[in-house]
Amino acid sequence: MNTAASAVRTYLIIWGWLAGLMLISVLLSSLPIPRATVILLVLALSSVKALLVALYYMHLKMDRRLLILVALFPFVLITLALGVVFSSAFVRL
Amino acid sequence: MEAQAHAAPASTATGIPNGKLGIWVFLASEVMFFGGLIAAYIVLRSGHPHWPGPEGHLDARLGTLNTLVLICSSTTIVLALAAAKRGAKAAIRRWLLVTVLLGATFLVIKGFEYHAKFSHHILPSTNVFWSCYFVLTGFHALHVLGGIAFNLVVLAWTFDPVSWSARGHRLELAGLYWHFVDIVWIFLFPLLYLL
């Protein structure tokens, strides 16, 4: 029962972090700071939120490594695809 | 509190139940799907000096509210799973129902946003930003709808001891799918509403 109560507490703490990070993102986007900095910070915060959901709510932190590999595999493919897309979109030969 | 013993999934070579491995592979394919759409959005946006165009921006307040709704729904479905682990069927039903209602709230808010745009004659054909907006949010909304349906099916199983005993473990799969839908929105919200 203690383990269950501890898990529920963790879920609620993560909810607090997710809501807090979201509000920080909204705040950042309205501050008079350089656009590139805002984009970098807001996307970094989104990545942290996604990681929190994956690790704690989807239980990747406690699950088998195979599932982590399955979850990470598409990101490797996307990185490769984005590399091709961005190189052709922004590099003029 | 009612004791709930549902059938343990058969052991597998990977040590991971087939259903769970299957949903993760499915989610990996979904990452590729949304990854492609989001990458297209970023490339198109980078190539347009005037973005999103003279038709105006989206209402960040509605986007923020919808993000909060989805974050709450991710928490409620994981609380349903925690309730399942301790065998509290009433709590499972309560948290699943709240999750479904939050999902429906998200769609209603999105519906209001769509209606406001349509009434101002802003359509997918208006410009490239609105094409991206309607495609990205439209596909995401369809996934939310699918998640609501999945959650409702699991909720229905809780009322039938035989179904719950045989299929109750699929609550975890419904949760994994729902969290994925939340993660997609975590990226769509800043890209479309904030940046």
Side-chain angles (χ1 to χ4, degrees), chain B residues 34 37-38 41 114 131-141 184-185 188 192:
Chain B
F34 278 104
L37 290 176
I38 290 171
Y41 173 81
Y114 273 25
S131 298
C132 293
Y133 167 76
F134 283 110
V135 167
L136 285 165
T137 58
F139 273 118
H140 180 264
V184 171
W185 186 255
L188 289 186
L192 294 170

Side-chain angles (χ1 to χ4, degrees), chain A residues 50-71:
Chain A
L51 205 61
L52 286 175
V53 172
L55 289 177
Y56 291 94
Y57 283 2
M58 299 173 93
H59 303 111
L60 273 185
K61 195 170 181 238
M62 285 78 84
D63 257 321
R64 287 180 177 262
R65 280 191 186 166
L66 176 63
L67 287 184
I68 297 173
L69 292 176
V70 171

